[in-house]
Amino acid sequence: MAPSQEQRTFAAPAGYIAIPATFTGGRRSHHCLYVKEHKVRDDLDTTRPQNRTLFVINVPPYCTEACLSRLFAPYCLVESVELQEKPGPSGKDHTAESRYFDLKVPKGFKVAYVVLTNPSDIRRIKSLQIETPVLLSGEGRPVKTGIRKWIEDYEASLTDTESLQAEIDAFMKVHDKRVAEEEEKAEEEEGVPDDEGWVKVTRKGRRPGLARTEVKNLRLMEREKRKRAQKELLNFYGWQHRESKREHLADLRKKFEEDKQKIALMRAHRKFRPF
């Protein structure tokens, strides 16, 4: 006899608890998210404090940070949620400097780090026994998928040229300022010995080299070719002997074709002179 809805349990890997979730109401199928307490040996990440952070795996692609916040809201107070493609260091320290470039959006199945407000909520999550799948998308909180998601991504991909130009101008302004500061610092340090007595020598103040012309480049190439020819041992290897034979035959064929053209040209210009 099959277990009733009240007696239904969901299997989970060792050390995890299963939280069943369904996309919309009225569906028989569900998806399980597996949760455990996030513990690391070195407590160096301030964004994921010990005793207040949950590690969630098997997060479906359509599940957003807002979805996870709503999923845990009935059981605990959520402080922050971070989604990543795979487990690893937090990416929150990297502040996004651009709205159009260097955007790291995880795709496919993800992992999540959920920071709770109260440490006591960790024990409450560990003792959870959810028998009915949690609803992720509803009328008041829809999650866009399919064609609606594609339309939203396409509209987000359209670039506002004015804001993009403003962002580029701001970036170049900061870049020019940084370059000017580096040049000013290099001028101050030029000629001043360091702690070990070494003096940094820069290219500033040197006479700029003249650009090479095409004729000069050809001369240099010919000179390098003659130098290499003098150093090489001709016909030392078997393949060199075969190559020289091929080149000699190619030169003979070329000369033969040129001679044929000359003879044909002479015959075309020949005139009959009886006297």
Side-chain angles (χ1 to χ4, degrees), residues 38-51:
H38 176 61
K39 290 184 178 180
V40 292
R41 293 182 180 178
D42 300 327
D43 189 11
L44 301 177
D45 194 347
T46 57
T47 61
R48 300 169 184 170
Q50 297 282 2
N51 302 322

PDB file of all heavy atoms in Angstrom, residues 38-51:
ATOM      1  N   HIS A  38      26.714  25.159   6.155  1.00  0.00           N
ATOM      2  CA  HIS A  38      27.992  25.470   5.502  1.00  0.00           C
ATOM      3  C   HIS A  38      29.077  25.600   6.570  1.00  0.00           C
ATOM      4  O   HIS A  38      29.027  26.485   7.431  1.00  0.00           O
ATOM      5  CB  HIS A  38      27.861  26.775   4.708  1.00  0.00           C
ATOM      6  CG  HIS A  38      29.149  27.216   4.087  1.00  0.00           C
ATOM      7  ND1 HIS A  38      29.834  26.463   3.162  1.00  0.00           N
ATOM      8  CD2 HIS A  38      29.883  28.347   4.294  1.00  0.00           C
ATOM      9  CE1 HIS A  38      30.918  27.107   2.795  1.00  0.00           C
ATOM     10  NE2 HIS A  38      30.984  28.248   3.471  1.00  0.00           N
ATOM     11  N   LYS A  39      30.057  24.689   6.504  1.00  0.00           N
ATOM     12  CA  LYS A  39      31.167  24.707   7.448  1.00  0.00           C
ATOM     13  C   LYS A  39      32.483  24.620   6.681  1.00  0.00           C
ATOM     14  O   LYS A  39      32.629  23.777   5.789  1.00  0.00           O
ATOM     15  CB  LYS A  39      31.062  23.524   8.425  1.00  0.00           C
ATOM     16  CG  LYS A  39      29.925  23.638   9.421  1.00  0.00           C
ATOM     17  CD  LYS A  39      29.961  22.489  10.400  1.00  0.00           C
ATOM     18  CE  LYS A  39      28.842  22.617  11.438  1.00  0.00           C
ATOM     19  NZ  LYS A  39      28.874  21.499  12.414  1.00  0.00           N
ATOM     20  N   VAL A  40      33.412  25.471   7.029  1.00  0.00           N
ATOM     21  CA  VAL A  40      34.753  25.463   6.444  1.00  0.00           C
ATOM     22  C   VAL A  40      35.765  25.541   7.582  1.00  0.00           C
ATOM     23  O   VAL A  40      35.468  26.010   8.685  1.00  0.00           O
ATOM     24  CB  VAL A  40      34.946  26.645   5.462  1.00  0.00           C
ATOM     25  CG1 VAL A  40      34.098  26.470   4.232  1.00  0.00           C
ATOM     26  CG2 VAL A  40      34.618  27.969   6.128  1.00  0.00           C
ATOM     27  N   ARG A  41      36.978  25.108   7.293  1.00  0.00           N
ATOM     28  CA  ARG A  41      38.018  25.108   8.320  1.00  0.00           C
ATOM     29  C   ARG A  41      38.468  26.528   8.660  1.00  0.00           C
ATOM     30  O   ARG A  41      38.616  26.891   9.818  1.00  0.00           O
ATOM     31  CB  ARG A  41      39.215  24.282   7.848  1.00  0.00           C
ATOM     32  CG  ARG A  41      38.910  22.802   7.719  1.00  0.00           C
ATOM     33  CD  ARG A  41      40.137  22.036   7.287  1.00  0.00           C
ATOM     34  NE  ARG A  41      39.870  20.611   7.154  1.00  0.00           N
ATOM     35  CZ  ARG A  41      40.774  19.725   6.744  1.00  0.00           C
ATOM     36  NH1 ARG A  41      42.003  20.125   6.436  1.00  0.00           N
ATOM     37  NH2 ARG A  41      40.455  18.456   6.656  1.00  0.00           N
ATOM     38  N   ASP A  42      38.704  27.318   7.610  1.00  0.00           N
ATOM     39  CA  ASP A  42      39.182  28.679   7.812  1.00  0.00           C
ATOM     40  C   ASP A  42      38.016  29.646   7.696  1.00  0.00           C
ATOM     41  O   ASP A  42      37.374  29.742   6.645  1.00  0.00           O
ATOM     42  CB  ASP A  42      40.256  29.041   6.777  1.00  0.00           C
ATOM     43  CG  ASP A  42      41.454  28.121   6.877  1.00  0.00           C
ATOM     44  OD1 ASP A  42      41.761  27.691   8.005  1.00  0.00           O
ATOM     45  OD2 ASP A  42      42.074  27.828   5.828  1.00  0.00           O
ATOM     46  N   ASP A  43      37.738  30.349   8.749  1.00  0.00           N
ATOM     47  CA  ASP A  43      36.641  31.316   8.761  1.00  0.00           C
ATOM     48  C   ASP A  43      37.162  32.670   8.269  1.00  0.00           C
ATOM     49  O   ASP A  43      37.341  33.610   9.045  1.00  0.00           O
ATOM     50  CB  ASP A  43      36.072  31.430  10.167  1.00  0.00           C
ATOM     51  CG  ASP A  43      34.788  32.256  10.187  1.00  0.00           C
ATOM     52  OD1 ASP A  43      34.260  32.531   9.096  1.00  0.00           O
ATOM     53  OD2 ASP A  43      34.332  32.612  11.290  1.00  0.00           O
ATOM     54  N   LEU A  44      37.438  32.744   6.940  1.00  0.00           N
ATOM     55  CA  LEU A  44      38.002  33.955   6.368  1.00  0.00           C
ATOM     56  C   LEU A  44      36.987  34.738   5.550  1.00  0.00           C
ATOM     57  O   LEU A  44      37.226  35.906   5.240  1.00  0.00           O
ATOM     58  CB  LEU A  44      39.210  33.603   5.485  1.00  0.00           C
ATOM     59  CG  LEU A  44      40.369  32.880   6.179  1.00  0.00           C
ATOM     60  CD1 LEU A  44      41.457  32.523   5.177  1.00  0.00           C
ATOM     61  CD2 LEU A  44      40.944  33.739   7.305  1.00  0.00           C
ATOM     62  N   ASP A  45      35.889  34.114   5.174  1.00  0.00           N
ATOM     63  CA  ASP A  45      34.886  34.774   4.342  1.00  0.00           C
ATOM     64  C   ASP A  45      33.856  35.436   5.247  1.00  0.00           C
ATOM     65  O   ASP A  45      33.038  34.760   5.885  1.00  0.00           O
ATOM     66  CB  ASP A  45      34.227  33.742   3.420  1.00  0.00           C
ATOM     67  CG  ASP A  45      33.444  34.405   2.307  1.00  0.00           C
ATOM     68  OD1 ASP A  45      33.218  35.632   2.394  1.00  0.00           O
ATOM     69  OD2 ASP A  45      33.067  33.709   1.350  1.00  0.00           O
ATOM     70  N   THR A  46      33.895  36.752   5.306  1.00  0.00           N
ATOM     71  CA  THR A  46      32.959  37.481   6.175  1.00  0.00           C
ATOM     72  C   THR A  46      31.539  37.482   5.629  1.00  0.00           C
ATOM     73  O   THR A  46      30.592  37.716   6.381  1.00  0.00           O
ATOM     74  CB  THR A  46      33.435  38.926   6.347  1.00  0.00           C
ATOM     75  OG1 THR A  46      33.549  39.547   5.056  1.00  0.00           O
ATOM     76  CG2 THR A  46      34.791  38.965   7.036  1.00  0.00           C
ATOM     77  N   THR A  47      31.366  37.240   4.322  1.00  0.00           N
ATOM     78  CA  THR A  47      30.026  37.236   3.740  1.00  0.00           C
ATOM     79  C   THR A  47      29.274  35.948   4.036  1.00  0.00           C
ATOM     80  O   THR A  47      28.064  35.887   3.826  1.00  0.00           O
ATOM     81  CB  THR A  47      30.112  37.425   2.211  1.00  0.00           C
ATOM     82  OG1 THR A  47      30.861  36.339   1.637  1.00  0.00           O
ATOM     83  CG2 THR A  47      30.794  38.744   1.874  1.00  0.00           C
ATOM     84  N   ARG A  48      29.988  34.910   4.512  1.00  0.00           N
ATOM     85  CA  ARG A  48      29.351  33.636   4.864  1.00  0.00           C
ATOM     86  C   ARG A  48      29.750  33.270   6.299  1.00  0.00           C
ATOM     87  O   ARG A  48      30.619  32.424   6.510  1.00  0.00           O
ATOM     88  CB  ARG A  48      29.766  32.537   3.898  1.00  0.00           C
ATOM     89  CG  ARG A  48      29.398  32.830   2.459  1.00  0.00           C
ATOM     90  CD  ARG A  48      30.067  31.852   1.528  1.00  0.00           C
ATOM     91  NE  ARG A  48      29.809  32.172   0.133  1.00  0.00           N
ATOM     92  CZ  ARG A  48      30.434  31.575  -0.890  1.00  0.00           C
ATOM     93  NH1 ARG A  48      31.338  30.645  -0.667  1.00  0.00           N
ATOM     94  NH2 ARG A  48      30.149  31.931  -2.127  1.00  0.00           N
ATOM     95  N   PRO A  49      29.163  33.902   7.287  1.00  0.00           N
ATOM     96  CA  PRO A  49      29.563  33.657   8.682  1.00  0.00           C
ATOM     97  C   PRO A  49      29.255  32.234   9.118  1.00  0.00           C
ATOM     98  O   PRO A  49      28.269  31.617   8.678  1.00  0.00           O
ATOM     99  CB  PRO A  49      28.748  34.684   9.470  1.00  0.00           C
ATOM    100  CG  PRO A  49      27.590  35.016   8.585  1.00  0.00           C
ATOM    101  CD  PRO A  49      28.087  34.899   7.182  1.00  0.00           C
ATOM    102  N   GLN A  50      30.097  31.725  10.004  1.00  0.00           N
ATOM    103  CA  GLN A  50      29.880  30.392  10.540  1.00  0.00           C
ATOM    104  C   GLN A  50      28.619  30.377  11.401  1.00  0.00           C
ATOM    105  O   GLN A  50      28.239  31.382  12.011  1.00  0.00           O
ATOM    106  CB  GLN A  50      31.091  29.974  11.386  1.00  0.00           C
ATOM    107  CG  GLN A  50      32.374  29.868  10.591  1.00  0.00           C
ATOM    108  CD  GLN A  50      32.447  28.569   9.790  1.00  0.00           C
ATOM    109  OE1 GLN A  50      31.517  27.762   9.807  1.00  0.00           O
ATOM    110  NE2 GLN A  50      33.542  28.360   9.088  1.00  0.00           N
ATOM    111  N   ASN A  51      27.968  29.232  11.419  1.00  0.00           N
ATOM    112  CA  ASN A  51      26.758  28.982  12.231  1.00  0.00           C
ATOM    113  C   ASN A  51      25.541  29.775  11.757  1.00  0.00           C
ATOM    114  O   ASN A  51      24.512  29.770  12.427  1.00  0.00           O
ATOM    115  CB  ASN A  51      27.012  29.305  13.714  1.00  0.00           C
ATOM    116  CG  ASN A  51      28.163  28.512  14.285  1.00  0.00           C
ATOM    117  OD1 ASN A  51      28.336  27.339  13.947  1.00  0.00           O
ATOM    118  ND2 ASN A  51      28.955  29.145  15.136  1.00  0.00           N
TER     119      ASN A  51
END
